[in-house]
């Protein structure tokens, strides 16, 4: 297996995969905006009208013409005649004279003739039908102008945008109650191995329950994909080829995790080779855990072979499968990842020349957050369940020292 | 309104609220483990058996007795007789003699008599039925011992744990296919204001569409709560009291957002006062945007009054409503929040003595990520839709300067 000799880091492996994927517009569906949370927009959304549609007060106060307040001060207030109060929720019928002021609430529509609002705290009602104004305002002060949020025809949400609460609010403000979003990519998941049984089965000695199908399904769901569980395939090349080929027709992407034996690993790469062109692009990634990862494109669809050990599979899926789901949804590649900065609570040795991902537990100690490394064999799923996140050790480092500041990527 | 004179920062406001909430175990439900993603565990989960249930090889190689490899080297290999291959998925029938080795795959059950595994790459088959071993192994080397991941009876998931893909995997590994999780807290959401109409309605001049119900519902959903939309209530104290009181019976928590007028704000505090003891704990928070926030506990349930302007409402909900949902789900208070470190792309002025949250857009410029401040009135929902996150300016700062490193909290 000559590919195995030229191991590349995960990011380069992903680059190679991306370059071999077609630039396709993902298929879309029209759904209610209230159901769009975390979905990816599929078409540009255009503002159907200005927002706001009328000039509004941004404070509680008096709508005035700015010139009438010029020179006003505590000792020399401007006196204005009280006009009718500005109504909430309807168009003010009054048209303001230059010498008049109209009580207005936050969000109220500015009456004709007014060009600014003086805040309530800088005014005082007199005994008569007048108010005193103690500060001058400028034209437009304390007013949100018509179209100030956005103008009719503006692109408000470009395609490829992840819909968050703010986007939902913006769409609702414009009365856009349905939205075109990318259909969630269907990610087929196959677990392989003669020794693997479904979780509801009580395993005989020598057998283990299928963990990977379920950790990966959860990760796919969390990342905006639709997991399609294809079950457990025994260590048979013919059977694996058959299930994989049939599944690829129906899915947008395929993930195969080895049972855990080396022979199965070989079966996986052979099975993937049979699925279509160009086939296997990367076999073996310069990372720990997760070295025996396979990245392939078969007839324009990504196919990923993950290690059988559950920790490796989950770590690598985070690095490879999650960005692929985003790509298949039409979202741009993320150029930053949030992290928690913490002080490393113990030394972590690492072999130079290889990227390492080490599980840590976060513990707050007064003002600092400490990242306590969790050592343990990478096969132990509960070492990951006990962790809050992962620390990356760059290939050129020979480890990290206790006390160093590290970035922890939450899992 | 004397409370308004003593403004406290959001964290202190939340502390005060938490102190006035009863320490209750949240109601729970038993659901399928595959549906537990992002839910909060409600009871301790105990390991029903050791994991793994038998000692397994962690590599591909030969199961051996360690003593038989002592002193082995490239020039002086140890010679061992080939025993039957260790089967995958069943208990090995062979019992290994000290002079024997058995081919074993990753995950295979160690045959009786073996105590370690020598990796395939340090062995070579000879023409006969022997192998050469070029490196010695120690007892336990390349083996995951029975119970090494966890032992029967161990608490594997304490109550209050957020279920992530790793936890789902751990539960599946143990055959725990159902799990008790906290029922999602029901968060009632009321929008108020005479000028507010539902998004599907075409507003008349002076009217605006309800944004807050929908941004808040999305945020509640994202944070593990169940949003209960209670509609738009006009500016009437009686009506607001009536809807709020009725809703509080059915919900675990209530959020009321003002239409946007000052009078409505007052209505909200009066309505909350009528809902139960101890009532309003905080009225006004030392933060921008979001100063006129109300925090209350009424008959053991949190009631939050949010500003009417959509940006303020969403920012404050992130600081107050999200941690409350976690608390009501039985999750411990989060002591760290992931962020993206970025270089500030412009000066941000700020008034000392007040905590500010400023929206920024993240732009990658070569090796650095730049946080470009989005200036604009806090009423503009699209200023938030255009943002990737928020930067906090501490009360003791008078602003931040371009070029400073800032933490950006993604929205």
């Amino acid at each position: 297996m000559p590919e195995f000799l030229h191991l590349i880091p995960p990011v380069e492996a992903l680059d190679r995969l991306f370059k071999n994927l077609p630039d396709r517009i993902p298929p879309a569906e029209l759904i209610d905006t209230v159901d769009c949370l975390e979905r990816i927009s599929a078409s540009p959304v255009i503002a159907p009208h200005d927002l706001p549609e009328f000039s509004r007060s941004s404070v509680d106060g008096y709508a005035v013409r700015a010139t009438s307040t010029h020179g006003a001060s505590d000792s020399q207030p401007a006196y204005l005649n009280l006009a009718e109060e500005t109504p909430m929720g309807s168009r003010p019928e009054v048209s303001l004279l230059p010498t008049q002021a109209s009580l207005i609430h936050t969000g109220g529509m500015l009456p004709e003739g007014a060009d600014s609002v003086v805040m309530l705290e800088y005014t005082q009602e007199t005994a008569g039908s007048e108010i005193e104004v103690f500060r001058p305002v400028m034209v437009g002060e304390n007013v949100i102008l018509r179209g100030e949020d956005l103008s009719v025809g503006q692109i408000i949400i470009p395609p490829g945008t992840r819909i968050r609460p703010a986007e939902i609010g913006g769409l609702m403000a414009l009365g856009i109650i349905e939205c075109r979003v990318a259909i969630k990519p269907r990610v087929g998941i196959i677990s392989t191995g003669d020794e693997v049984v479904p979780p509801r089965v009580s395993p005989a000695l020598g057998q283990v329950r299928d963990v990977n199908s379920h950790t990966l399904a959860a990760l796919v769901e969390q990342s905006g994909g639709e997991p399609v569980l294809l079950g457990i395939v025994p260590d048979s090349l013919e059977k694996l080829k058959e299930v994989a080929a049939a599944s690829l027709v129906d899915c947008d992407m395929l993930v195969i995790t080895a049972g855990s034996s080396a022979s199965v690993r070989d079966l996986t790469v052979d099975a993937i080779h049979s699925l279509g062109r160009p086939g296997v692009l990367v076999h073996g990634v310069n990372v720990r855990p997760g070295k025996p990862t396979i990245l392939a494109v078969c007839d324009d669809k990504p196919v990923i072979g993950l290690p059988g050990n559950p920790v490796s599979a989950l770590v690598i899926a985070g690095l490879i499968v999650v960005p692929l789901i985003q790509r298949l949804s039409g979202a741009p590649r993320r150029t930053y990842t949030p992290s928690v900065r913490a002080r490393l609570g113990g030394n972590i040795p690492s072999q130079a020349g290889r990227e390492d991902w080490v599980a840590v537990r976060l513990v707050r100690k007064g003002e600092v957050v400490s990242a306590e490394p969790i050592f343990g064999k990478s096969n132990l799923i509960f070492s990951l369940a006990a962790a809050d996140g992962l620390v990356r050790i760059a290939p050129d480092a020979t480890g990290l020292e206790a006390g160093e500041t590290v970035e922890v990527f939450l899992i």
Side-chain angles (χ1 to χ4, degrees), chain A residues 214-382:
Chain A
H214 303 286
T215 53
L216 294 174
L219 187 74
V220 165
E221 197 186 321
Q222 223 174 23
S223 320
E226 190 193 333
V228 181
L229 290 187
L230 301 164
I232 301 161
V233 175
D235 291 338
S236 143
L237 179 59
E238 281 318 304
K239 186 72 186 147
L240 184 55
K241 275 184 180 176
E242 187 190 315
V243 175
S247 311
L248 203 53
V249 175
D250 189 41
C251 293
D252 302 300
M253 174 176 162
L254 197 56
V255 179
I256 303 172
T257 73
S260 23
S261 79
S263 48
V264 170
R265 199 106 291 289
D266 294 342
L267 292 189
T268 303
V269 81
D270 290 346
I272 293 176
H273 270 306
S274 76
L275 292 177
R277 305 277 309 150
V280 174
L281 302 166
V282 177
H283 185 193
V285 180
N286 193 13
V287 65
R288 180 199 169 101
K291 191 172 85 169
T293 299
I294 301 164
L295 286 81
V297 171
C298 303
D299 287 346
D300 290 347
K301 292 182 178 176
V303 179
I304 308 297
L306 292 179
N309 116 40
V311 175
S312 310
L314 197 47
V315 170
I316 297 298
L319 297 176
I320 303 289
V321 175
V322 172
L324 266 171
I325 291 172
Q326 290 163 354
R327 156 87 182 227
L328 294 179
S329 312
R333 196 154 164 188
R334 230 168 35 162
T335 58
Y336 47 80
T337 310
S339 64
V340 174
R341 282 171 76 85
R343 190 178 296 170
L344 197 59
N347 297 328
I348 307 178
S350 161
Q351 190 180 306
R354 185 187 64 198
E355 179 174 310
D356 276 30
W357 290 86
V358 177
V360 296
R361 189 184 290 113
L362 290 172
V363 183
R364 179 166 281 279
K365 296 182 172 172
E367 283 302 292
V368 295
V369 177
S370 175
E372 312 284 343
I374 297 173
F375 296 110
K377 297 181 174 142
S378 72
N379 317 50
L380 308 183
I381 182 69
F382 279 99

Side-chain angles (χ1 to χ4, degrees), chain A residues 55-361:
Chain A
S55 295
R56 307 175 71 192
S57 179
S58 62
V59 296
D60 298 318
Y62 288 92
V64 298
R65 193 168 294 192
T67 48
S68 66
T69 66
H70 284 176
S73 67
D74 284 337
S75 55
Q76 297 238 310
Y79 287 85
L80 297 175
N81 296 313
L82 264 183
E84 210 176 304
E85 181 176 334
T86 305
M88 287 305 287
S90 62
R91 179 184 197 147
E93 281 170 15
V94 65
S95 178
L96 220 60
L97 301 174
T99 54
Q100 285 184 315
S102 163
L103 182 64
I104 190 166
H105 304 285
T106 306
M109 177 173 177
L110 224 62
E112 214 177 294
D115 57 18
S116 50
V117 176
V118 56
M119 288 174 82
L120 211 55
E121 44 262 62
Y122 302 132
T123 64
Q124 187 172 291
E125 282 199 40
T126 63
S129 58
E130 279 186 334
I131 60 158
E132 296 176 314
V133 175
F134 303 111
R135 294 234 184 144
V137 283
M138 289 178 302
V139 172
E141 198 165 332
N142 299 320
V143 172
I144 305 168
L145 295 172
R146 178 187 172 136
E148 190 168 340
D149 201 346
L150 46 87
S151 311
V152 58
Q154 225 176 304
I155 293 183
I156 52 169
I157 298 180
T161 304
R162 191 167 64 88
I163 307 292
R164 303 165 302 172
E167 274 78 17
I168 289 184
L171 292 167
M172 289 309 198
L174 293 165
I176 301 170
I177 56 172
E178 288 181 320
C179 190
R180 285 191 79 76
V181 294
I183 293 174
K184 290 184 183 187
R186 287 170 62 82
V187 181
I189 299 169
I190 298 176
S191 240
T192 67
D194 285 339
E195 79 282 21
V196 183
V197 298
R200 62 178 63 241
V201 169
S202 196
L205 266 182
Q207 295 183 325
V208 293
R209 294 196 182 87
D210 181 16
V211 168
N212 289 332
S213 290
H214 303 286
T215 53
L216 294 174
L219 187 74
V220 165
E221 197 186 321
Q222 223 174 23
S223 320
E226 190 193 333
V228 181
L229 290 187
L230 301 164
I232 301 161
V233 175
D235 291 338
S236 143
L237 179 59
E238 281 318 304
K239 186 72 186 147
L240 184 55
K241 275 184 180 176
E242 187 190 315
V243 175
S247 311
L248 203 53
V249 175
D250 189 41
C251 293
D252 302 300
M253 174 176 162
L254 197 56
V255 179
I256 303 172
T257 73
S260 23
S261 79
S263 48
V264 170
R265 199 106 291 289
D266 294 342
L267 292 189
T268 303
V269 81
D270 290 346
I272 293 176
H273 270 306
S274 76
L275 292 177
R277 305 277 309 150
V280 174
L281 302 166
V282 177
H283 185 193
V285 180
N286 193 13
V287 65
R288 180 199 169 101
K291 191 172 85 169
T293 299
I294 301 164
L295 286 81
V297 171
C298 303
D299 287 346
D300 290 347
K301 292 182 178 176
V303 179
I304 308 297
L306 292 179
N309 116 40
V311 175
S312 310
L314 197 47
V315 170
I316 297 298
L319 297 176
I320 303 289
V321 175
V322 172
L324 266 171
I325 291 172
Q326 290 163 354
R327 156 87 182 227
L328 294 179
S329 312
R333 196 154 164 188
R334 230 168 35 162
T335 58
Y336 47 80
T337 310
S339 64
V340 174
R341 282 171 76 85
R343 190 178 296 170
L344 197 59
N347 297 328
I348 307 178
S350 161
Q351 190 180 306
R354 185 187 64 198
E355 179 174 310
D356 276 30
W357 290 86
V358 177
V360 296
R361 189 184 290 113

